[in-house]
């Protein structure tokens, strides 16, 4: 193993223990299983069965159902029997928070239980208490006493278990010793895992979910390393980003987190949590997983890597670069929109990438998600550009451009070395990280641009392991102390909007999460037009304007990796049987009123049992606290309790205003 995966330079699945969930085998190189969770009331047997069937028909290989108390746990038997009667044998998972007795009932009925180590034994009080070693040890004994009966039942009944840590619901004990950190998440699971191993119970899967992909990725990596160091083996992993939201943002956030880990061969089962009907999560899961069915057919390794990396994969630190114009250094990553396939670019095209022209005032309005540069190939533009927008063109056209402050040339690496004319301010130089014609380990071409104060390096790769080969190049740049800023260029060969979006989010998101990248440019190969899918059965993303789609995707990737904040962030739970209001409708209403509040994080959570814990670092929270009742939070503090749901959105807006986080549109 290399640090946390089988290989840092090619796609290889991580070896994990095999577990059995009913008749389904998972881990140990078995296919990556996809799953979802019902949103119906668990006491409504028929509604839950019918929703489960819709999910199974969509391809879900496991179905999770919430069991908040003994009654729901007992009703799992009716649900299971009805499903079997209708011919469905898909394993069922009981989702447990706070109620060991419900877990102990469910473990005798269905195939798998999920426990949250943050709240299985502990009630969260949000208290920072100092624990002595002796007190800490007593706490562990208390957990052992309360958790061991469940382990014994699972062992006796052949039931599998997920120890599912959530970043937002760590126990006070863990928080006091490790804080709200990836290491705290790992230790939270390890405490439970050690107890289970002591009982020689191994039918275990683990997860480390967070709504922040950065935290989530680091926690999984640390968990793998910790398990391997302590036990010499790794239990299978369930991947997910919690409260990812809906639509494009939800998919991108999930793809950044889950995709980054899948790229390194990590993950035995996945769930994409969207604030949409659960059956719509499955096609997104499948799009994520199918990328690796292709990759595993052929691995292409060129330069290897040792464990001695010049960066830590367990913590976020942006790679140090110098600034060239507004790229690199302390600048947020820039977005370059590729408009080179447009035959004649007009002002209207700039609307797609965040600029609005007002003819009356002859002025451009610049949106928060407006591209910083456009790449036009050989085209010089015959209209006045917005003040902040610059143009990247091929060298021959650059020489014809009159406005030197607006146009900058882009070269191939040898082209730049040989060029007679160069910009004295900013030159883009493309490097293909997988160039067959260059001998392995020959990096002499880097000498041509190394620390040239005018050069921004543009990295792309045609390798099947594209992310790994670009990451490998970053290591080379770091080892050679080359500090030019770097723009990540990613083209997609996929076809549907979902596939493109997952491709872009995975390939570039994985690098931004490593602190690599000062800019992003997304494009399509010429054969790869976007094909919208017409369907009555599911919600596919539909794209009317590919330039707007690509530009928004680039900004959303930067937002999801928290490297450039350009819009409001929504942390909305996917809903489940505990949900107390229509999450999709309410999320839509809140989004419509607040989507101009750049940088504000708003959580919309279905229940007060888990919501406050799970809403992580949200600035404001809208949480269901009873039928027709909403409790509003500022951070973790209750500000308005049990507000009537009819006025709750308005009250949320008032709360945002009272705290000076509101701006008028
Ligand atoms: S926060 Fe949402 S998904 Fe989580 S338990 Fe509550 S209602 Fe269910």
């Amino acid at each position: 193993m290399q640090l946390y995966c089988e290989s840092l330079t090619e796609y290889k699945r991580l070896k994990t223990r095999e577990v059995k969930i009913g008749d389904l085998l998972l881990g140990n190189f078995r296919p990556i299983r996809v799953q979802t969770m019902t949103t119906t009331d668990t006491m409504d047997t028929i509604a839950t069965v019918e929703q489960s069937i819709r999910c199974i028909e969509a391809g879900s290989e496991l179905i999770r159902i919430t069991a908040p108390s003994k009654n729901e746990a007992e009703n799992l038997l009716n649900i299971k029997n009805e499903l079997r009667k209708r011919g469905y044998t898909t394993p069922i998972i009981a989702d447990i928070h706070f109620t060991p007795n419900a877990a102990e009932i469910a473990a005798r009925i269905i195939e798998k239980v999920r426990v949250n180590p943050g709240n299985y034994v502990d009630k969260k009080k949000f208290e920072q208490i100092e624990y002595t070693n002796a007190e800490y040890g007593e706490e562990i004994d208390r957990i052992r006493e309360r958790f061991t009966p469940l382990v014994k039942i699972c062992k006796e009944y052949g039931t599998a278990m997920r120890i599912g840590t959530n970043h937002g619901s760590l126990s006070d004990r863990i928080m006091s010793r490790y804080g709200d950190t990836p290491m705290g998440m790992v230790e939270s699971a390890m405490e439970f895992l050690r107890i289970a191993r002591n009982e020689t119970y191994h039918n275990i899967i683990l997860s480390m979910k967070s709504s922040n992909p950065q935290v989530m990725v680091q926690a999984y990596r640390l968990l793998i390393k910790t398990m391997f160091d302590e036990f010499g083996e790794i239990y299978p992993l369930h991947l997910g980003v919690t409260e990812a939201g809906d639509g494009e943002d939800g998919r991108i956030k999930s793809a950044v987190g889950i995709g980054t880990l899948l790229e390194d061969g990590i993950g035995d089962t996945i769930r994409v949590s969207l604030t949409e009907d659960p059956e719509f999560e499955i096609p997104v899961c499948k799009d994520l997983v199918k990328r690796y069915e292709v990759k595993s057919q052929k691995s292409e390794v060129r330069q290897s890597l040792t464990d001695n990396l010049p960066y830590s994969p367990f913590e976020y630190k942006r790679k140090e670069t110098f600034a060239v114009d507004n790229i690199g250094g302390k600048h947020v990553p820039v977005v370059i929109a590729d408009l080179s396939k447009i035959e004649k670019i007009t002002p209207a095209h700039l609307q797609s990438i965040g600029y609005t022209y007002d003819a009356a005032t002859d002025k451009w309005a610049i949106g928060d998600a407006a591209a910083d540069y456009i790449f036009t190939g050989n085209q010089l533009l015959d209209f006045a550009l917005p003040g902040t927008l610059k143009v990247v063109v091929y060298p021959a056209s650059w020489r014809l451009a009159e406005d030197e402050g607006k146009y900058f040339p882009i070269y191939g690496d040898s082209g730049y070395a040989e060029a007679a004319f160069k910009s004295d301010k900013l030159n883009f130089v493309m490097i293909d990280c997988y160039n067959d014609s260059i001998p392995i380990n020959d990096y002499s071409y880097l000498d041509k641009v190394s620390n040239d104060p005018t050069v921004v390096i543009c990295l792309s790769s045609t390798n099947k392991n594209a992310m790994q080969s670009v990451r490998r190049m970053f290591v080379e740049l770091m080892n050679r102390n080359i500090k030019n800023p770097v723009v990540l260029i990613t083209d997609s060969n996929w076809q549907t909007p979902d596939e493109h979006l997952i491709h872009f989010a995975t390939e570039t998101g994985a690098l931004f999460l490593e602190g690599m990248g000062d800019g992003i440019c997304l494009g399509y190969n010429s054969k790869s037009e976007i094909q919208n899918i017409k369907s009555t059965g599911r919600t596919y993303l539909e794209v009317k304007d590919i330039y707007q789609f690509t530009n928004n995707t680039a900004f959303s990737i930067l937002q999801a990796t928290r490297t450039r904040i350009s819009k409001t962030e929504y942390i909305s739970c996917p809903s489940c049987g505990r949900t107390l209001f229509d999450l999709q409708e309410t999320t839509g209403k809140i989004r419509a009123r607040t989507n101009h509040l750049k940088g504000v994080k708003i959580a919309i959570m279905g229940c007060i049992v888990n919501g406050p814990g799970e809403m992580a670092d949200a600035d404001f929270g809208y949480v269901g606290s009873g039928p027709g009742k909403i409790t509003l939070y500022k951070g973790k503090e209750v500000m308005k309790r049990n507000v009537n749901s009819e006025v709750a959105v308005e009250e949320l807006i008032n709360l945002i205003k009272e705290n000076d986080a509101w701006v008028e549109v």
Side-chain angles (χ1 to χ4, degrees), residues 318-331 425 449-457 481-486 518:
R318 187 170 171 188
K319 178 182 167 284
E320 194 186 332
T321 56
F322 54 78
V324 182
D325 201 74
N326 62 342
I327 308 178
K330 299 234 178 310
H331 296 288
K425 282 204 203 105
V449 294
S450 170
N451 293 325
D452 178 331
T454 69
V455 168
V456 170
I457 297 173
N481 210 18
I482 298 175
K483 297 201 167 147
N484 300 68
V486 175
D518 303 289

Side-chain angles (χ1 to χ4, degrees), residues 15 57 118 150 198 218 248 282 299 337 354 369 379 399 414 436 466 490 525 571 618 647 664:
K15 177 161 174 46
E57 294 292 337
L150 177 65
N198 274 347
Q218 288 162 11
E248 281 178 33
I282 299 301
S299 307
Q379 242 186 102
R399 293 209 54 212
S414 51
D436 257 341
T490 299
N525 284 339
I571 299 164
V647 294
E664 294 303 333

Side-chain angles (χ1 to χ4, degrees), residues 64-315:
R64 183 152 50 111
I65 300 172
T66 188
S69 73
K70 281 167 70 175
N71 288 348
E72 285 85 356
E74 278 159 4
N75 201 46
L76 291 173
L77 182 61
N78 295 327
I79 293 168
K80 180 178 172 180
N81 287 343
E82 184 62 25
L83 276 168
R84 300 294 177 265
K85 206 169 95 191
R86 298 191 193 192
Y88 294 93
T89 55
T90 306
I92 298 171
I93 308 162
D95 195 62
I96 306 289
H97 295 270
F98 299 105
T99 43
N101 51 5
E104 289 165 17
I105 293 167
R108 293 181 167 96
I109 299 173
I110 39 78
E111 289 82 5
K112 181 178 164 194
V113 285
R114 177 271 166 125
V115 297
N116 179 344
N119 60 29
Y120 190 74
V121 178
D122 302 287
K123 295 265 178 295
K124 189 149 180 63
K125 302 190 192 80
F126 299 112
E127 285 170 3
Q128 288 288 118
I129 307 163
E130 279 300 318
Y131 289 80
T132 63
N133 284 346
E135 285 166 340
Y136 205 94
E138 280 166 24
E139 286 283 301
I140 301 290
D141 288 343
R142 197 167 62 86
I143 293 170
R144 181 174 297 109
E145 205 177 294
R146 201 65 195 90
F147 180 53
T148 303
L150 177 65
V151 173
K152 289 194 162 145
I153 294 167
C154 287
K155 209 172 151 190
E156 184 188 342
Y157 284 77
T159 308
M161 181 190 295
R162 169 155 67 97
I163 301 173
T165 303
N166 275 10
H167 181 215
S169 53
L170 296 173
S171 67
D172 286 344
R173 179 187 63 263
I174 288 287
M175 290 285 277
S176 72
R177 185 153 290 193
Y178 300 92
D180 183 9
T181 60
M183 194 30 131
M185 293 172 70
V186 170
E187 194 47 33
S188 171
M190 290 296 287
E191 289 176 353
F192 279 62
L193 183 57
R194 288 181 196 115
I195 294 168
R197 278 178 65 94
N198 274 347
E199 297 295 321
T200 60
Y201 172 70
H202 299 288
N203 216 17
I204 296 172
I205 295 135
L206 293 110
S207 63
M208 297 275 115
K209 295 193 185 182
S210 168
S211 64
N212 179 343
Q214 224 172 61
V215 172
M216 173 249 186
V217 166
Q218 288 162 11
Y220 277 99
R221 289 176 176 174
L222 265 177
L223 175 67
I224 292 164
K225 186 172 178 327
T226 308
M227 279 195 277
F228 194 75
D229 289 349
E230 194 166 326
F231 310 135
E233 62 176 352
I234 297 154
Y235 288 82
L237 297 165
H238 165 110
L239 307 185
V241 175
T242 51
E243 283 79 52
D246 58 357
E248 281 178 33
D249 286 346
R251 284 161 174 77
I252 288 173
K253 221 177 186 189
S254 296
V256 165
I258 297 171
T260 294
L261 292 161
L262 290 176
E263 281 288 303
D264 276 329
I266 296 165
D268 300 287
T269 175
I270 66 167
R271 184 209 174 180
V272 172
S273 303
L274 298 176
T275 308
E276 297 178 19
D277 291 345
E279 58 267 37
F280 299 143
E281 295 177 353
I282 299 301
V284 185
C285 290
K286 286 183 166 178
D287 282 344
L288 267 161
V289 166
K290 74 183 179 195
R291 296 166 52 78
Y292 304 96
E293 287 155 13
V294 181
K295 281 203 188 205
S296 55
Q297 286 163 13
K298 194 171 170 224
S299 307
E300 297 163 358
V301 193
R302 275 170 61 85
Q303 304 88 350
S304 58
L305 262 185
T306 66
D307 281 1
N308 194 11
L309 293 178
Y311 69 94
S312 167
F314 304 110
E315 62 188 7

Side-chain angles (χ1 to χ4, degrees), residues 436-477:
D436 257 341
S437 61
I438 298 174
I440 294 174
N441 294 329
D442 176 3
Y443 289 100
S444 55
Y445 55 94
L446 289 179
D447 298 340
K448 297 167 191 162
V449 294
S450 170
N451 293 325
D452 178 331
T454 69
V455 168
V456 170
I457 297 173
C458 300
L459 290 184
S460 64
S461 174
T462 47
N463 193 328
K464 262 199 185 343
N465 298 304
M467 187 284 289
Q468 286 89 340
S469 64
V470 176
R471 186 171 62 191
R472 178 68 186 80
M473 181 62 80
F474 269 104
V475 170
E476 202 61 36
L477 294 175

